[in-house]
Amino acid sequence: MWRALAFLALLALAAFGAVWIADRPGTVTVVWNGYQIGTSLAVALVGVIAAAIVLGLLWAIVRGVIGLPEALVRGSAERRRTKGLSALSRGMVAVGSGDPLAARRYAGDAERLLGTEPLTLLLKAQAAQISGDRDAAESAFQRMVDDPETRVLGLRGLFVEARRREDETAARAYATEAARLAPSVTWANEALLEAQSADGDWGAALETIERRSSLGLIDKATARRQRAVLLTAIAGEHEAGEPDLATERALQAVKLAPDLVPAACIAGRLLARRGDFRKAARIVEAAWKANPHPDLAKVYLGLRTGDSVRDRLARAEVLAKLSVWDPESRLALGQAALDARDYKRAREAVKPLLAERPTARACLMMAAIEEAEHGTASGQAREWLARAARAPRDRIWIADGVASETWAPVSPVSGRLDAFAWREPPNTLTAPAAVEPEADRNHATPPALVPAGPNGGESAPSRPSGAEADAVVPHGIAPAPGTGGKAAGTDPISAGMAAAALPASKSAERAALKIG
């Protein structure tokens, strides 16, 4: 609408100008080289306008002729670029769909049409990766490293390739260089933190966490937790040789993460050695409320080395009330009552844990109570030992498929910080489908312990997937290559439980009765 109004305004202005000139006639005379030309003003204006139009057309034609070669070259370059971008786009789609032949073909076309641009090199490297050509991939990433604009991206690719060939030294060097060039790169900071943690360089790891927190790469809660884990690791290393330093670091860790069990245990032990029993009790009680754990119970019950078993039983009752009778508190109370030879109180504490499916520790606790009260030849003790071999397993420290009885600040598999979690391992054992008659049970061969199948029977050998792939491997045993973190053979925790259930001798039975 505005264009129409502007056109009408210009048209009205031109009409007004024409009328104004017509009302004021005049003569224009041009004298040049002895010639004199005279005409009216209106005709002169029309001639000037016509001459301007002709000159404009001639200038356009001359410019077109002069710029024709450049236009042809520019058009050819635009067509090449358009084809190159199309090949680049199709190559990225081929990489995403896992088509190595198409990816490599489009990568070659993109490089031929576009040259050594960053995206072209990236497509070429990814095409080589999905084709399994590691040398070509590393060559492409190295070319990216040589270009200042793509140096960090190339380092990322070389880092991934070094990890794939298990060259941790080269991977660490690439991550260090990337973190130096671009301090805000997340992957480089994480890789650097993992390397420092795996080496036990806790001071450097703390500096890395501080830098990541200041740059906003991690939230404040995660930074506090990771700092607490590193301070706990420092305290654990110096607990025996430098108790003052260990106490300081443990208290700092407790302040950052009051629910961190290892930090509370170290702080409780060290404060108890100093004689500060009240502060030690407060720290352990706070951690116990958030996360009841047998290590906390052990520290709390043993704060005063000279206390009687009755005093420890009283403190176990305090823990039970603080955790609203959590299963861990019942086991701790049962152990304290057993040490005090109050067998009735021990049974009352453990009895609620036996209602549905008692865990192995609950069964071993009942076996210990029966043997302490009725002797080592007690049939009830043997029955509880047999049930313990088939009972669901208790919670344990697990990180990246590795099970350990003790906590560690980093995963032994991936080097990830704060990887260990206190949780239940996958329970793969099942009880027999039917109970044998008493007459046959005395003479029958004990059934083999096998992994449970989908319907309760034996499971066929198969490759697990999903949550089952997170198999539990004993701490210190390296997983076999290509097993995804699993150890070769049967589940070692199940095998260990089965071995513990076989009463080879009286001493073996008594050793199995000990509760950690």
Side-chain angles (χ1 to χ4, degrees), residues 284-479:
V284 176
E285 288 172 359
W288 178 266
K289 289 179 182 179
N291 188 13
H293 193 279
D295 290 348
L296 291 172
K298 183 178 180 181
V299 172
Y300 192 75
L301 299 183
L303 286 178
R304 298 178 182 270
T305 56
D307 284 350
S308 64
V309 290
R310 288 293 174 182
D311 295 332
R312 296 182 179 181
L313 179 59
R315 282 203 293 273
E317 292 177 348
V318 172
L319 289 180
K321 294 177 181 178
L322 288 174
S323 63
V324 197
W325 294 95
D326 184 86
E328 288 294 343
S329 65
R330 291 188 175 277
L331 290 172
L333 182 59
Q335 182 63 54
L338 176 61
D339 294 339
R341 298 185 180 276
D342 189 345
Y343 306 123
K344 180 180 179 181
R345 185 76 180 94
R347 284 193 178 87
E348 290 176 355
V350 183
K351 184 177 179 180
L353 304 180
L354 311 176
E356 296 182 358
R357 294 185 65 195
T359 62
R361 286 177 60 200
C363 294
L364 291 174
M365 176 66 72
M366 289 301 299
I369 295 172
E370 293 294 338
E371 181 175 339
E373 185 175 9
H374 301 293
T376 57
S378 171
Q380 290 290 335
R382 291 178 175 272
E383 182 178 350
W384 281 113
L385 281 175
R387 292 185 63 179
R390 295 166 175 81
R393 290 166 288 181
D394 295 89
R395 289 181 292 179
I396 197 171
W397 293 111
I398 297 178
D400 297 328
V402 174
S404 174
E405 295 183 358
T406 58
W407 176 86
V410 297
S411 167
V413 176
S414 63
R416 183 164 53 93
L417 184 65
D418 192 24
F420 276 97
W422 181 255
R423 61 183 179 87
E424 295 180 0
N427 288 292
T428 57
L429 297 183
T430 182
V435 179
E436 299 178 2
E438 184 69 26
D440 298 334
R441 190 189 306 167
N442 297 332
H443 304 285
T445 303
L449 301 176
V450 296
N455 300 321
E458 296 185 7
S459 60
S462 62
R463 182 179 180 85
S465 61
E468 296 178 357
D470 187 20
V472 179
V473 183
H475 185 49
I477 298 181

